[in-house]
């Protein structure tokens, strides 16, 4: 079988040194070779590529003009580890916008993979570098069941469950004695009895349903105080929303008799009982036998069983290799960056993180996720994540869930994600996964950093009821609290989504994306923009935008170990319930630290980081979600103190502009200082209610005994984090948070000049 130089074995990646090798071939080169006009042999693999292009874009090559073909090329990413070629046919756009990513358009993308001769139910653990990216040999077949509502689909899922129960010891639910308040009895596989609610008296193996309620669910059947007695007798299957009907069918197909569904097992109009049951949802999902996850659709009225796109005829094609018994499969590239409806729903985050086993339905195929492995029906490979640091210091939801479950059940630890410690963020991830210990009095504790990763992910999601913002995370908060203690061995206090013991770190959350308003709710009827504010301004829960924590950057990127100096002191907490179901509207914190009056300038333009004064270049300016246009926020804000030296800050909400780049004195703000003596500090505003303030939280510095040249620590601080505050209009003498900032002087190693003349104050923030 003849091959070109690209497809010969010596051009493929060496499995011991590389994962992927990239090649680019001109379309005309392949055509001339295959037509015999080039001084090169006809290549079998190139022929497959041309056949695949014709299948995906019939007639495209034949109808192109010669000049079009001359501007067309083929990108091939080859991975010998998994016998995979990822192919993209692209057309150059020489007159397009500047920038690498805009100079071509993709005509079609597909994968060509060699099907293994022997396919086993499960394979040994994946390669330590590729980690979770190899799924292919871990499935029963590369063929997807066409209809997920058939017994053939349930039998396949039952095999996954059976194997996990037999071999994956880490997937055993931690509390074998846990008993939910109510369960739905759905009957057995061959039983057609009417489902009914009951209160179990002993532990039972049950399935849980994770799904989207959807919009306009007022007419959807729920358990209420008025029908509870009737539901103990029967709940006709056809009276349930279709997604719950489908969950009943899955349970019967797997021969699981009991099902927990929030809308039926929790009395929806009994507020006290609802709060009690909602705070226990973490235990229900954590100890479930299996969780059925309806990733799609976005409404419970539609149902999730039925025809599967990857199982339809023509989705993939098989080609026999000439002269062998081996087979090649050609299938379209699957975009796995598309967020499913379930992952947009706030309540479902803990339903994703906590279960030890999940059977997922998304309309494409069934997938199996447990603490030990992931399996998909079609056996395709999830392409290895690039290691260019585009998503730095992040763990996947599966990895976060594994680490949280390890805390919930330390006697049966789950497999930890493999971390490459040689990467720039390797030390941070090694610490976060528990591989190494770098916590201490002046550094964040691992358990709270995991919480902050959860909060960052949670902020991308939506809720129908704004008041549910903390309740929907109460179960995860309970896990953190039960495994964390302060210096007196007392359980840590949870303050409106933040942990008191690490409050200086917890307060550094910042907005990284502004959501478009009004936002359509993901799981109910209410519009969150019309609801009353329920949370104090210093809590991330008060903000309806996408937030992140960036303060741990030095843990991964500084050569010498950082320590947090000049930490503000927590002098008191008032009006905050220790119960996560409280909305904590009146909560205030009393802090002691440096407080500096500042001026605030808000520009109506996006000012790129390259123009910022003394600012870490890796920071990303906030974006606007929900659009493929220029997503950058048309807002950049600066503050400056009496010395008129400015620093960039990040506002918690979009604000009206006060300045434009062409205005007088604008360059003084952007450049970081006034060189022309055109600016002055307005003393008359010192006691005005309109004055803004910066409050220092802490500063990262390096250990002097570890760094022999403390004045020569390029890119290692000092780095100072601070809050941006305004005087409260609601409470006299108190402050409200409106943003956050960070000073990182990587050039002159100076301390933050905002606080040069600042005095120490005790302040209340509400």
């Amino acid at each position: 079988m003849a091959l070109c130089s690209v497809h010969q074995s010596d051009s493929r990646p060496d499995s011991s040194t590389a994962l992927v090798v990239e090649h680019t071939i001109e379309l005309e080169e392949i055509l001339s070779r295959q037509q015999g006009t080039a001084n090169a042999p006809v290549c079998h693999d190139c022929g497959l590529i041309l056949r695949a292009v014709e299948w995906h874009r019939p007639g495209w090559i034949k109808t192109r003009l010669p000049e079009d073909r001359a501007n067309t090329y083929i990108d091939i990413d080859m991975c010998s580890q998994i016998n995979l070629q990822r192919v993209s046919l692209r057309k150059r756009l020489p007159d397009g916008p500047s920038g690498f990513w805009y100079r071509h358009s993709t005509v079609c993308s597909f994968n060509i993979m060699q099907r293994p001769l022997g396919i086993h139910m499960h394979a040994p653990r994946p390669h330590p570098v590729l980690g979770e990216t190899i799924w292919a040999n871990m499935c029963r077949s590369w063929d997807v069941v066409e209809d997920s509502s058939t017994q053939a689909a349930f039998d396949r899922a039952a095999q996954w469950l059976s194997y996990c129960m037999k071999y994956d010891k880490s997937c055993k639910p931690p509390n074998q004695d846990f008993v939910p308040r109510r369960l739905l009895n759905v009957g057995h596989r061959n039983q057609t009895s009417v489902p009914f609610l009951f209160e179990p008296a002993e532990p039972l193996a049950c399935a849980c349903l994770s799904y989207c309620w959807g919009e306009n669910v007022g007419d959807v059947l729920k358990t209420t105080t008025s029908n509870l007695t009737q539901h103990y007798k029967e709940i006709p299957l056809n009276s349930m929303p279709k997604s719950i009907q489908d969950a009943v069918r899955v349970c019967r197909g797997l021969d699981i008799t009991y099902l927990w569904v929030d809308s039926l097992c929790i009395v929806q109009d009994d507020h006290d009982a609802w709060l009690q049951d909602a705070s226990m949802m973490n235990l229900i999902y954590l100890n479930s036998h299996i969780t059925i996850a309806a990733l799609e659709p976005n409404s419970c009225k539609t149902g999730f069983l039925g025809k599967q796109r990857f199982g339809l005829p023509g989705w993939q094609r098989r080609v026999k290799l000439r002269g062998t018994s081996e087979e090649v499969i050609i299938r379209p590239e699957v975009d796995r960056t598309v967020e499913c409806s379930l992952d947009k729903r706030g309540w479902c985050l803990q339903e994703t993180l906590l279960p030890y086993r999940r059977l997922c339905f998304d309309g494409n195929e069934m997938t199996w996720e447990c603490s030990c492995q992931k399996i998909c029906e079609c056996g395709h490979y999830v392409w290895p994540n690039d290691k260019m640091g585009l998503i730095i210091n992040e763990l996947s939801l599966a990895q976060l869930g594994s680490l949280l479950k390890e805390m919930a059940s330390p006697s049966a630890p789950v497999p930890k994600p493999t971390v490459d410690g040689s990467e720039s963020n390797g030390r941070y991830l090694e610490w976060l996964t528990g591989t190494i210990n770098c916590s201490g009095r002046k550094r964040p504790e691992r358990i709270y950093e995991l919480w902050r990763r959860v909060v960052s992910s949670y902020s991308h999601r939506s809720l129908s009821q704004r008041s549910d913002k903390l309740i929907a995370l109460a179960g995860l908060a309970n896990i953190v609290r039960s495994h964390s203690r302060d210096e007196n061995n007392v359980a840590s206090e949870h303050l409106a989504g933040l942990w008191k013991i690490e409050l200086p770190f917890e307060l550094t959350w910042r907005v990284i994306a502004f959501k478009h308003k009004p936002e359509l709710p993901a799981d109910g009827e209410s519009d969150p923009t019309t609801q009353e504010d329920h949370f104090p301004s210093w809590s991330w829960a008060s903000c309806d935008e996408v937030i992140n924590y960036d303060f741990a950057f030095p843990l991964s990127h500084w050569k010498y170990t950082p320590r947090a100096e000049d930490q503000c002191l927590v002098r008191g907490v008032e009006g905050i319930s220790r119960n996560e179901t409280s909305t904590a509207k009146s909560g205030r914190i009393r802090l002691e630290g440096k407080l500096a009056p500042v001026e605030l300038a808000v520009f109506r333009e996006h000012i790129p980081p390259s123009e910022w004064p003394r600012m870490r270049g890796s920071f990303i300016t906030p974006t606007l979600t929900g659009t493929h246009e220029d997503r950058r926020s048309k807002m950049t804000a600066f503050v400056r103190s009496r010395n008129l030296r400015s620093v960039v800050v990040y506002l918690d909400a979009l604000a009206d502009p006060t300045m434009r780049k062409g205005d007088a004195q604008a360059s003084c703000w952007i450049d970081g200082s006034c060189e022309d003596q055109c600016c002055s500090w307005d003393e008359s505003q010192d006691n005005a209610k309109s004055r803004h303030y910066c409050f220092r939280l802490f500063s990262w510095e390096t250990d002097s005994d570890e760094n022999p040249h403390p004045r020569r620590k390029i890119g290692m601080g000092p780095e100072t984090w601070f809050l941006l505050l305004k005087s409260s209009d609601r409470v006299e003498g108190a402050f409200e948070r409106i943003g956050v900032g960070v000073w990182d002087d990587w050039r002159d190693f100076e301390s933050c000049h905002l606080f040069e003349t600042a005095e120490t104050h005790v302040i209340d923030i509400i």
Side-chain angles (χ1 to χ4, degrees):
M1 186 169 60
L3 296 174
C4 66
S5 59
V6 169
H7 288 105
Q8 288 173 359
S9 59
D10 57 358
S11 69
R12 295 176 180 269
D14 180 353
S15 61
S16 64
T17 60
L19 298 180
V20 178
V21 170
E22 301 177 359
H23 296 278
T24 297
I25 310 176
E26 297 297 318
L27 178 60
E28 286 286 10
E29 179 182 345
I30 293 182
L31 290 174
S32 60
R33 181 186 299 127
Q34 298 307 107
Q35 293 167 0
T37 58
N39 187 21
V42 175
C43 174
H44 176 270
D45 283 13
C46 288
L48 283 177
I49 290 175
L50 293 179
R51 290 171 67 182
V53 170
E54 180 63 24
W55 286 332
H56 288 90
R57 294 295 299 270
W60 190 91
I61 294 178
K62 293 180 180 179
T63 59
R64 296 301 98 180
L65 297 174
E67 54 267 27
D68 286 338
R69 291 201 300 267
N71 284 320
T72 305
Y73 63 97
I74 293 176
D75 277 340
I76 306 174
D77 295 341
M78 304 176 67
C79 185
S80 63
Q81 283 271 352
I82 46 181
N83 294 320
L84 167 67
Q85 295 182 63
R86 184 187 185 191
V87 182
S88 295
L89 178 66
R90 307 189 195 280
K91 183 179 178 182
R92 294 184 182 88
L93 300 175
D95 298 327
S98 62
F100 175 78
W101 298 107
Y102 298 93
R103 290 177 180 166
H104 67 259
S105 63
T106 300
V107 179
C108 60
S109 295
F110 49 87
N111 292 335
I112 300 177
M113 57 196 77
Q114 188 170 330
R115 184 168 184 163
L117 288 176
I119 298 181
H120 307 286
M121 178 63 188
H122 293 265
R125 293 292 175 249
H127 187 277
V129 176
L130 290 178
E132 293 179 312
T133 61
I134 298 182
W135 290 12
N137 290 333
M138 299 172 66
C139 64
R140 177 174 178 271
S141 170
W142 283 24
D143 300 315
V144 180
V145 175
E146 186 173 344
D147 193 322
S148 61
S149 65
T150 62
Q151 191 57 46
F154 301 148
D155 289 344
R156 174 169 290 178
Q159 287 183 303
W160 293 337
L161 175 60
S162 175
Y163 181 93
C164 182
M165 292 173 61
K166 184 175 181 180
Y167 296 105
D168 295 336
K169 303 303 181 185
S170 297
C171 298
K172 185 178 181 181
N175 187 353
Q176 299 296 304
D177 297 324
F178 177 75
V179 180
R181 180 185 294 201
R182 298 182 190 88
L183 287 173
L184 184 67
N185 187 317
V186 302
H188 299 289
R189 173 179 295 186
N190 299 319
Q191 194 179 58
T192 58
S193 60
V194 179
F196 62 91
L197 282 180
F198 75 104
E199 298 180 3
E202 59 183 358
L204 297 170
C206 71
C208 290
L209 177 62
S210 179
Y211 66 113
C212 294
W213 281 43
E215 301 176 40
N216 303 317
V217 293
D219 59 341
V220 168
L221 178 68
K222 311 176 191 70
T223 294
T224 62
T225 52
S226 62
N227 63 19
L228 178 60
T229 301
Q230 179 61 31
H231 283 187
Y232 280 131
K233 297 178 182 178
E234 64 174 12
I235 307 178
L237 187 63
N238 59 8
S239 69
M240 302 177 187
K242 290 186 177 179
S243 286
I244 300 180
Q245 293 183 37
D246 284 349
V248 171
R249 294 187 180 98
V250 172
C251 287
R252 289 174 175 174
L254 298 178
D255 208 16
I256 297 174
T257 306
Y258 307 109
L259 173 66
W260 188 91
V261 185
D262 56 357
S263 60
L264 297 180
C265 296
I266 298 178
V267 179
Q268 297 296 312
D269 61 351
D270 185 336
H271 182 69
D272 292 338
W274 184 90
L275 289 177
Q276 182 180 355
D277 287 346
S279 65
M280 298 290 289
M281 285 176 62
N282 66 303
L283 297 178
I284 293 172
Y285 284 95
L286 188 67
N287 293 289
S288 65
H289 186 59
I290 186 175
T291 291
I292 301 166
L295 307 183
E296 298 290 352
N298 62 1
S299 172
C300 65
K301 297 181 179 181
T302 305
F304 58 85
L305 295 180
K307 298 290 185 180
Q308 302 194 111
R309 186 166 67 92
F310 293 174
L312 297 177
W315 180 75
Q316 64 181 6
R317 296 175 183 264
R318 297 182 178 85
V319 179
K320 286 285 187 181
L321 295 180
R322 189 179 305 168
T324 72
S325 59
E326 295 182 351
E327 189 177 55
V328 166
I329 289 181
I330 301 174
R331 58 170 58 138
E333 177 76 7
V334 177
D335 184 2
R336 298 196 170 273
T337 64
V338 177
E339 196 174 35
C340 66
S341 296
L342 195 69
D343 287 341
K344 299 176 183 178
R345 182 176 177 237
W347 272 102
C348 291
L349 178 61
Q350 63 181 5
E351 298 170 14
T352 300
L353 293 175
L354 293 178
Y356 281 77
R357 307 183 184 105
R358 287 209 316 163
L359 176 61
C360 304
F361 298 83
D362 65 358
N364 293 324
E365 61 178 341
M366 297 187 301
T367 57
W368 172 267
E369 299 177 5
C370 68
S371 295
C372 296
Q373 57 195 347
K374 294 182 179 181
I375 305 170
C376 66
E377 277 194 274
C378 68
H380 60 258
Y381 302 98
V382 176
W383 195 252
N385 295 326
D386 68 49
K387 309 184 94 176
M388 297 173 62
L390 298 179
I391 308 177
I392 196 166
N393 293 348
E394 286 296 332
L395 295 174
S396 68
L397 286 181
Q399 292 168 333
L400 270 177
S402 294
L403 295 170
L404 288 168
K405 288 192 283 282
E406 179 189 39
M407 294 178 183
S409 181
S411 60
V414 298
K416 295 180 181 179
T418 302
V419 175
D420 184 357
S422 64
E423 296 294 319
S424 61
N425 61 340
R427 180 171 60 177
Y428 172 84
L429 292 179
E430 285 181 324
W431 163 63
L432 198 58
T433 57
T435 306
I436 62 173
N437 179 26
C438 66
S439 298
R441 185 175 65 86
K442 294 189 176 182
R443 303 184 192 99
E445 293 291 333
R446 170 178 170 247
I447 189 171
Y448 303 115
E449 186 65 8
L450 288 173
W451 168 261
R452 289 185 280 267
R453 296 301 96 202
V454 169
V455 167
S456 297
S457 176
Y458 182 63
S459 69
H460 289 75
R461 300 170 179 242
S462 59
L463 290 162
S464 61
Q465 300 292 335
R466 198 169 187 267
S467 58
D468 290 351
K469 208 163 191 179
L470 294 179
I471 305 173
L473 282 185
L476 295 172
N478 286 336
I479 291 179
V480 174
R481 176 189 287 105
S482 62
H483 293 83
S484 60
R485 293 288 188 272
D486 62 17
E487 59 271 16
N488 299 317
N489 200 32
V490 177
S492 300
E493 291 187 43
H494 189 230
L495 310 176
L498 282 65
W499 296 96
K500 180 181 177 182
I501 193 173
E502 290 204 346
L503 202 53
F505 300 135
E506 293 277 273
L507 289 168
T508 62
W509 58 268
R510 76 177 183 98
V511 172
I512 61 171
F514 292 104
K515 298 178 181 177
H516 282 276
K517 304 293 190 304
E519 181 186 36
L520 292 176
D523 54 348
E525 300 174 295
S526 301
D527 181 353
T529 62
T530 64
Q531 297 179 26
E532 182 184 6
D533 188 21
H534 288 270
F535 305 101
S537 66
W538 45 264
S539 170
W540 54 262
S542 67
C543 180
D544 292 323
E545 316 299 349
V546 180
I547 66 104
N548 195 31
Y549 281 94
D550 303 306
F551 77 92
F553 182 92
L555 289 173
S556 60
H557 286 73
W558 285 14
K559 179 178 180 180
Y560 301 107
T561 305
R563 66 181 191 277
E565 298 288 359
D566 301 323
Q567 295 186 44
C568 65
L569 302 176
V570 182
R571 293 305 189 190
V573 177
E574 296 180 9
I576 301 175
S577 171
R578 305 312 191 259
N579 182 352
E580 283 75 24
T581 59
S582 170
T583 56
K585 178 183 177 183
S586 60
R588 72 168 67 193
I589 53 176
R590 181 163 297 156
L591 304 178
E592 179 179 344
K594 294 285 188 179
L595 182 72
V598 296
E599 297 174 336
L600 172 66
V602 180
F603 285 76
R604 63 171 67 246
E605 298 97 345
H606 166 73
I607 301 176
S610 59
E611 300 182 30
W612 295 353
R614 304 179 185 276
M615 197 58 208
R616 183 194 304 156
S618 64
F619 261 37
I620 300 174
T621 54
T623 62
L624 295 168
T625 61
T627 176
H628 293 290
E629 301 173 1
D630 185 354
R631 293 174 37 158
R632 296 171 301 184
S633 168
K634 299 298 189 297
M635 179 183 73
T636 308
F638 298 87
V639 294
R640 65 184 184 185
S641 57
R642 293 178 186 274
N643 55 28
L644 303 181
R645 298 174 67 184
S646 57
V647 181
V648 171
V649 291
Y650 303 94
L651 301 184
D652 297 339
L654 291 170
D656 294 330
T658 62
M659 188 169 291
R660 305 184 67 167
K661 289 184 71 173
D663 293 347
Q665 303 180 356
S667 61
C668 300
W669 286 91
I670 298 172
D671 295 341
S673 61
C674 178
E675 303 293 343
D676 300 327
Q677 307 299 317
C678 59
C679 302
S680 61
W681 178 264
D682 189 354
E683 300 282 352
S684 65
Q685 296 296 313
D686 280 354
N687 297 317
K689 293 282 288 185
S690 59
R691 173 67 76 201
H692 295 89
Y693 299 85
C694 288
F695 181 81
R696 187 174 66 187
L697 295 172
F698 66 91
S699 295
W700 283 120
E701 296 183 6
T702 57
D703 290 319
S704 57
D705 57 345
E706 189 178 356
N707 182 2
H709 304 289
R711 299 298 296 176
R712 283 182 276 163
K713 46 184 186 291
I714 301 298
M716 287 183 286
E719 178 177 298
T720 299
W721 284 84
F722 56 89
L723 294 179
L724 177 61
L725 307 172
K726 71 173 185 177
S727 297
S728 174
D729 296 326
R730 295 186 288 120
V731 178
E732 185 68 27
F735 296 90
E736 296 178 21
R737 171 185 161 138
I738 61 171
V740 68
V742 56
W743 162 269
D744 181 10
D745 187 4
W746 52 269
R747 292 182 295 190
D748 299 326
F749 320 122
E750 295 179 355
S751 298
C752 182
H753 51 63
L754 289 174
F755 302 99
E756 284 179 350
T757 60
E759 298 179 353
T760 299
H761 292 266
V762 177
I763 64 171
D764 288 351
I765 309 177
I766 63 172

